Amino acid sequence: MTFPILETERLILRQVTQDDAGSLLTYLSDPDVMKHVGLDAFETIDDSLEEISWYDSIYKEKTGIRWGITLKDKGEVIGSCGFLKMAAQHFRAEVGTELSKDYWGQGIASEALEAVIRYGFMELNLQRIEGLIVPANLQSQKLFEKNGFMREGLLRKYEYTCGKFDDLYMYSLLKEEHLGV
């Protein structure tokens, strides 16, 4: 099973390997990046290696796929984007992304998300892509809305992360809304 590589105007989305552990640690140790992710900021290279191992496991188990976001002119991973909680029998998956603070506000997350969404609808035959976003994460809400997602409602006390229960907005995008089919 060959890991798919996605290419956009400015980006290459590729498999994250153990060689990328230092790059992941750089941005996943930033409390601002991790503020709404539902994980504590990373502290050690082992935290990054565990994350990469999780990326590998969801891909092998076909429950998700996570791409490392790289700029075409640099090989360094500056974020990630991909699917988790894939339910093939229901033709749906959850999508998520995070990006190094150094690259916020440049349209990179939107460009990566668009490529991943297209792959999900065209190659994975998804009918529905969901995004779960904490209400305080206004930037992610804007990102998802810019990419055509509709807020469906609030899931109260939906997840327990970092020692607390979080409310999450449910966003969704349907294949026919995105592709016009």
Side-chain angles (χ1 to χ4, degrees), residues 38-90:
L39 297 171
D40 291 321
F42 286 18
E43 295 179 357
T44 67
I45 203 76
D46 286 340
D47 293 336
S48 296
L49 291 169
E50 285 178 27
E51 185 78 356
I52 293 166
S53 178
W54 178 70
Y55 294 169
D56 290 342
S57 71
I58 63 171
Y59 182 64
K60 288 176 186 157
E61 295 164 5
K62 296 184 175 163
T63 60
I65 181 170
R66 196 78 176 190
W67 286 270
I69 301 170
T70 66
L71 298 172
K72 280 187 176 177
D73 58 347
K74 299 178 184 177
E76 179 184 0
V77 174
I78 60 169
S80 78
C81 188
F83 298 113
L84 62 152
K85 299 179 185 171
M86 285 175 46
Q89 73 275 25
H90 298 296

Coordinates of all heavy atoms in Angstrom, one line a residue, residues 38-90:
G38 N -6.7 19.5 21.9 CA -7.1 18.4 22.8 C -6.0 17.6 23.3 O -6.2 16.5 23.8
L39 N -4.7 18.1 23.1 CA -3.6 17.4 23.6 C -2.7 18.4 24.3 O -2.7 19.6 24.0 CB -2.7 16.8 22.5 CG -3.3 15.7 21.7 CD1 -2.4 15.4 20.5 CD2 -3.5 14.4 22.5
D40 N -1.9 18.0 25.3 CA -1.0 18.9 25.9 C 0.2 19.2 24.9 O 0.5 18.3 24.1 CB -0.4 18.2 27.2 CG -1.4 18.1 28.3 OD1 -2.2 19.1 28.5 OD2 -1.4 17.1 29.0
A41 N 0.8 20.3 25.1 CA 1.9 20.6 24.2 C 3.0 19.6 24.4 O 3.2 19.1 25.5 CB 2.5 22.0 24.6
F42 N 3.6 19.2 23.3 CA 4.7 18.1 23.4 C 5.9 18.7 24.1 O 6.2 19.9 24.1 CB 5.1 17.7 22.0 CG 4.0 16.8 21.2 CD1 2.7 16.8 21.7 CD2 4.4 16.1 20.2 CE1 1.8 16.0 21.0 CE2 3.5 15.3 19.5 CZ 2.2 15.2 19.9
E43 N 6.6 17.8 24.8 CA 7.7 18.1 25.6 C 9.0 17.5 25.1 O 10.1 18.0 25.3 CB 7.5 17.8 27.0 CG 6.4 18.7 27.7 CD 6.2 18.3 29.1 OE1 6.8 17.4 29.7 OE2 5.3 19.0 29.7
T44 N 8.9 16.3 24.5 CA 10.1 15.5 24.1 C 9.9 14.9 22.7 O 8.8 14.9 22.2 CB 10.3 14.3 25.1 OG1 9.3 13.4 24.9 CG2 10.4 14.8 26.6
I45 N 11.1 14.5 22.2 CA 11.1 13.9 20.9 C 10.2 12.6 20.9 O 9.6 12.2 19.9 CB 12.5 13.6 20.4 CG1 12.6 13.5 18.9 CG2 13.1 12.4 21.1 CD1 12.4 14.8 18.1
D46 N 10.2 11.9 22.1 CA 9.3 10.7 22.2 C 7.9 11.0 22.0 O 7.1 10.2 21.4 CB 9.5 10.1 23.6 CG 10.9 9.4 23.7 OD1 11.5 9.0 22.6 OD2 11.3 9.1 24.8
D47 N 7.4 12.2 22.4 CA 6.0 12.6 22.1 C 5.8 12.7 20.6 O 4.7 12.2 20.2 CB 5.7 14.0 22.7 CG 5.8 14.0 24.3 OD1 5.6 13.0 24.9 OD2 6.0 15.1 24.8
S48 N 6.7 13.2 19.9 CA 6.6 13.3 18.4 C 6.6 11.9 17.8 O 5.9 11.6 16.9 CB 7.7 14.1 17.8 OG 7.6 15.5 18.3
L49 N 7.5 11.0 18.3 CA 7.6 9.7 17.8 C 6.3 8.9 18.0 O 5.9 8.1 17.2 CB 8.8 8.9 18.4 CG 10.2 9.5 17.9 CD1 11.3 8.9 18.7 CD2 10.4 9.2 16.4
E50 N 5.7 9.1 19.2 CA 4.4 8.5 19.5 C 3.3 9.0 18.5 O 2.5 8.2 18.0 CB 4.0 8.8 20.9 CG 4.7 8.0 21.9 CD 4.3 8.3 23.4 OE1 3.2 8.7 23.6 OE2 5.2 8.1 24.3
E51 N 3.3 10.3 18.2 CA 2.4 10.9 17.3 C 2.6 10.2 15.9 O 1.6 9.8 15.2 CB 2.5 12.4 17.2 CG 1.5 13.1 16.3 CD 0.1 13.2 17.0 OE1 -0.1 12.7 18.1 OE2 -0.7 13.9 16.4
I52 N 3.8 10.1 15.4 CA 4.1 9.5 14.1 C 3.7 8.1 14.1 O 3.1 7.6 13.1 CB 5.6 9.7 13.8 CG1 5.9 11.2 13.6 CG2 6.0 8.8 12.6 CD1 7.4 11.5 13.6
S53 N 3.9 7.4 15.2 CA 3.4 6.0 15.3 C 1.9 5.9 15.2 O 1.4 5.0 14.6 CB 3.9 5.4 16.7 OG 3.5 4.1 16.8
W54 N 1.2 6.8 15.8 CA -0.2 6.9 15.7 C -0.7 7.1 14.2 O -1.6 6.5 13.7 CB -0.8 8.0 16.6 CG -2.3 8.1 16.5 CD1 -3.3 7.2 16.9 CD2 -3.0 9.2 15.9 NE1 -4.5 7.6 16.6 CE2 -4.4 8.9 16.0 CE3 -2.7 10.3 15.3 CZ2 -5.4 9.7 15.5 CZ3 -3.6 11.2 14.8 CH2 -5.0 10.9 14.9
Y55 N 0.0 8.1 13.6 CA -0.3 8.3 12.1 C -0.1 7.0 11.4 O -1.0 6.7 10.5 CB 0.7 9.3 11.5 CG 0.6 10.7 12.0 CD1 1.6 11.6 11.6 CD2 -0.4 11.2 12.8 CE1 1.6 13.0 12.1 CE2 -0.4 12.5 13.3 CZ 0.5 13.4 12.9 OH 0.5 14.7 13.3
D56 N 0.9 6.2 11.6 CA 1.2 5.0 10.9 C 0.1 4.0 11.2 O -0.4 3.3 10.3 CB 2.5 4.4 11.3 CG 3.7 5.2 10.8 OD1 3.5 5.9 9.8 OD2 4.8 5.0 11.3
S57 N -0.3 3.9 12.5 CA -1.3 2.9 12.9 C -2.7 3.2 12.3 O -3.4 2.2 11.8 CB -1.4 2.8 14.4 OG -2.1 3.9 15.0
I58 N -3.1 4.4 12.2 CA -4.5 4.7 11.7 C -4.4 4.4 10.2 O -5.5 4.0 9.6 CB -5.0 6.1 12.0 CG1 -4.1 7.2 11.4 CG2 -5.2 6.3 13.5 CD1 -4.7 8.6 11.5
Y59 N -3.3 4.6 9.5 CA -3.2 4.4 8.1 C -3.3 2.8 7.8 O -4.0 2.4 7.0 CB -1.9 5.0 7.5 CG -1.8 4.8 6.0 CD1 -2.7 5.3 5.1 CD2 -0.7 4.0 5.5 CE1 -2.5 5.1 3.8 CE2 -0.6 3.8 4.1 CZ -1.5 4.4 3.3 OH -1.4 4.2 1.9
K60 N -2.5 2.1 8.6 CA -2.5 0.6 8.4 C -3.8 0.0 8.7 O -4.3 -0.9 8.1 CB -1.4 0.0 9.3 CG 0.0 0.3 8.8 CD 1.0 -0.3 9.8 CE 2.4 0.1 9.3 NZ 3.4 0.1 10.3
E61 N -4.5 0.6 9.8 CA -5.8 0.1 10.2 C -7.0 0.6 9.3 O -8.1 0.2 9.5 CB -6.1 0.4 11.6 CG -5.2 -0.2 12.6 CD -5.2 0.5 14.0 OE1 -6.0 1.4 14.2 OE2 -4.3 0.1 14.8
K62 N -6.6 1.5 8.4 CA -7.6 2.1 7.5 C -8.7 2.9 8.3 O -9.9 2.9 7.8 CB -8.2 1.1 6.5 CG -7.2 0.5 5.6 CD -7.8 -0.4 4.6 CE -6.7 -0.9 3.7 NZ -6.9 -2.0 2.9
T63 N -8.3 3.4 9.4 CA -9.3 4.3 10.2 C -8.9 5.7 10.0 O -9.6 6.6 10.5 CB -9.2 3.9 11.7 OG1 -7.9 4.1 12.2 CG2 -9.7 2.5 11.9
G64 N -7.9 6.0 9.3 CA -7.5 7.4 9.0 C -6.3 7.5 8.2 O -5.6 6.5 7.8
I65 N -5.9 8.7 7.8 CA -4.7 9.0 7.1 C -4.3 10.5 7.4 O -5.1 11.4 7.3 CB -4.9 8.8 5.5 CG1 -3.6 9.1 4.8 CG2 -6.0 9.6 5.0 CD1 -3.6 8.6 3.3
R66 N -3.0 10.7 7.7 CA -2.6 12.0 8.1 C -1.3 12.3 7.3 O -0.4 11.6 7.3 CB -2.2 12.0 9.6 CG -2.0 13.3 10.2 CD -3.4 13.9 10.6 NE -3.3 15.2 11.3 CZ -4.3 15.8 11.8 NH1 -5.5 15.3 11.7 NH2 -4.1 16.9 12.4
W67 N -1.5 13.5 6.6 CA -0.4 13.9 5.8 C 0.5 15.0 6.5 O -0.1 15.8 7.2 CB -0.9 14.6 4.5 CG -1.4 13.6 3.5 CD1 -0.7 13.0 2.4 CD2 -2.8 13.2 3.3 NE1 -1.6 12.3 1.7 CE2 -2.8 12.4 2.2 CE3 -4.0 13.5 4.0 CZ2 -4.0 11.8 1.7 CZ3 -5.1 12.9 3.6 CH2 -5.1 12.0 2.5
G68 N 1.8 15.0 6.3 CA 2.6 16.1 6.7 C 2.5 17.2 5.7 O 2.6 16.9 4.5
I69 N 2.4 18.4 6.1 CA 2.3 19.5 5.2 C 3.8 20.1 5.1 O 4.4 20.4 6.1 CB 1.4 20.7 5.8 CG1 0.0 20.1 6.0 CG2 1.4 21.9 4.9 CD1 -0.9 21.1 6.8
T70 N 4.2 20.2 3.8 CA 5.6 20.7 3.6 C 5.4 21.8 2.4 O 4.6 21.6 1.6 CB 6.6 19.7 3.1 OG1 6.2 19.1 1.9 CG2 6.7 18.6 4.2
L71 N 6.3 22.8 2.5 CA 6.3 23.7 1.4 C 7.1 23.1 0.3 O 8.1 22.3 0.5 CB 7.0 25.0 1.8 CG 6.3 25.8 2.9 CD1 7.1 27.0 3.4 CD2 4.9 26.3 2.4
K72 N 6.8 23.3 -1.0 CA 7.5 22.7 -2.1 C 9.0 23.0 -2.1 O 9.8 22.1 -2.5 CB 6.9 23.2 -3.4 CG 5.6 22.5 -3.8 CD 5.2 22.8 -5.2 CE 4.0 22.1 -5.6 NZ 3.5 22.4 -6.9
D73 N 9.4 24.2 -1.7 CA 10.8 24.5 -1.7 C 11.6 24.1 -0.4 O 12.7 24.3 -0.3 CB 11.0 26.0 -2.0 CG 10.3 26.9 -1.0 OD1 9.5 26.4 -0.2 OD2 10.6 28.1 -0.9
K74 N 10.8 23.4 0.5 CA 11.5 23.0 1.8 C 10.9 21.6 2.1 O 9.7 21.3 1.8 CB 11.2 23.9 2.9 CG 11.7 25.3 2.8 CD 11.3 26.2 4.0 CE 11.7 27.6 3.8 NZ 11.2 28.4 4.9
G75 N 11.7 20.7 2.6 CA 11.2 19.4 3.0 C 10.7 19.3 4.4 O 10.1 18.3 4.7
E76 N 10.8 20.3 5.2 CA 10.4 20.3 6.6 C 8.9 20.3 6.8 O 8.2 21.0 6.1 CB 11.0 21.5 7.3 CG 10.7 21.6 8.8 CD 11.2 22.9 9.4 OE1 11.8 23.7 8.7 OE2 10.9 23.1 10.6
V77 N 8.4 19.4 7.6 CA 7.0 19.3 8.0 C 6.7 20.5 8.9 O 7.3 20.7 9.9 CB 6.7 18.0 8.7 CG1 5.2 18.0 9.1 CG2 6.9 16.8 7.7
I78 N 5.7 21.3 8.4 CA 5.2 22.5 9.2 C 3.8 22.3 9.7 O 3.3 23.3 10.4 CB 5.3 23.7 8.3 CG1 4.4 23.6 7.0 CG2 6.8 24.0 7.9 CD1 4.2 24.9 6.2
G79 N 3.2 21.2 9.5 CA 1.9 20.9 10.0 C 1.4 19.6 9.5 O 2.1 18.9 8.9
S80 N 0.2 19.3 9.9 CA -0.4 18.0 9.3 C -1.9 18.3 9.1 O -2.5 19.2 9.6 CB -0.2 16.9 10.3 OG -1.1 16.9 11.4
C81 N -2.4 17.4 8.2 CA -3.8 17.5 7.9 C -4.3 16.1 7.5 O -3.5 15.4 6.8 CB -4.0 18.5 6.7 SG -5.8 18.8 6.3
G82 N -5.5 15.7 7.8 CA -5.9 14.4 7.4 C -7.2 13.9 8.1 O -7.8 14.7 8.8
F83 N -7.5 12.6 7.8 CA -8.7 12.0 8.3 C -8.5 11.1 9.5 O -7.4 10.5 9.6 CB -9.3 11.2 7.2 CG -9.7 12.0 6.0 CD1 -9.1 11.8 4.8 CD2 -10.7 13.0 6.1 CE1 -9.5 12.6 3.7 CE2 -11.1 13.7 5.0 CZ -10.5 13.5 3.8
L84 N -9.4 11.1 10.4 CA -9.5 10.1 11.4 C -10.9 9.6 11.6 O -11.8 10.2 11.0 CB -8.9 10.6 12.7 CG -9.6 11.8 13.4 CD1 -9.4 11.7 14.9 CD2 -9.0 13.1 12.9
K85 N -11.1 8.6 12.4 CA -12.4 8.1 12.6 C -13.2 7.8 11.3 O -14.3 8.0 11.1 CB -13.3 9.0 13.5 CG -12.6 9.2 14.9 CD -13.5 10.1 15.7 CE -12.7 10.3 17.0 NZ -13.4 11.4 17.8
M86 N -12.4 7.2 10.3 CA -13.0 6.9 9.0 C -14.0 5.7 9.2 O -13.6 4.7 9.8 CB -11.9 6.5 8.0 CG -11.2 7.7 7.5 SD -9.8 7.4 6.4 CE -10.5 6.2 5.3
A87 N -15.2 5.8 8.7 CA -16.2 4.8 8.8 C -16.6 4.5 7.4 O -17.5 5.1 6.8 CB -17.4 5.3 9.6
A88 N -15.8 3.5 6.7 CA -16.0 3.2 5.3 C -17.5 2.8 5.1 O -18.1 3.1 4.0 CB -15.1 2.1 4.9
Q89 N -18.1 2.0 6.0 CA -19.4 1.5 5.8 C -20.5 2.7 5.8 O -21.5 2.5 5.3 CB -19.8 0.5 6.8 CG -20.0 1.0 8.2 CD -18.8 1.2 9.1 OE1 -17.7 1.3 8.6 NE2 -19.0 1.1 10.4
H90 N -20.1 3.8 6.3 CA -21.0 5.0 6.3 C -20.5 6.1 5.4 O -21.1 7.2 5.3 CB -21.1 5.5 7.8 CG -21.7 4.6 8.7 ND1 -23.0 4.1 8.6 CD2 -21.2 3.9 9.8 CE1 -23.2 3.2 9.6 NE2 -22.2 3.1 10.3

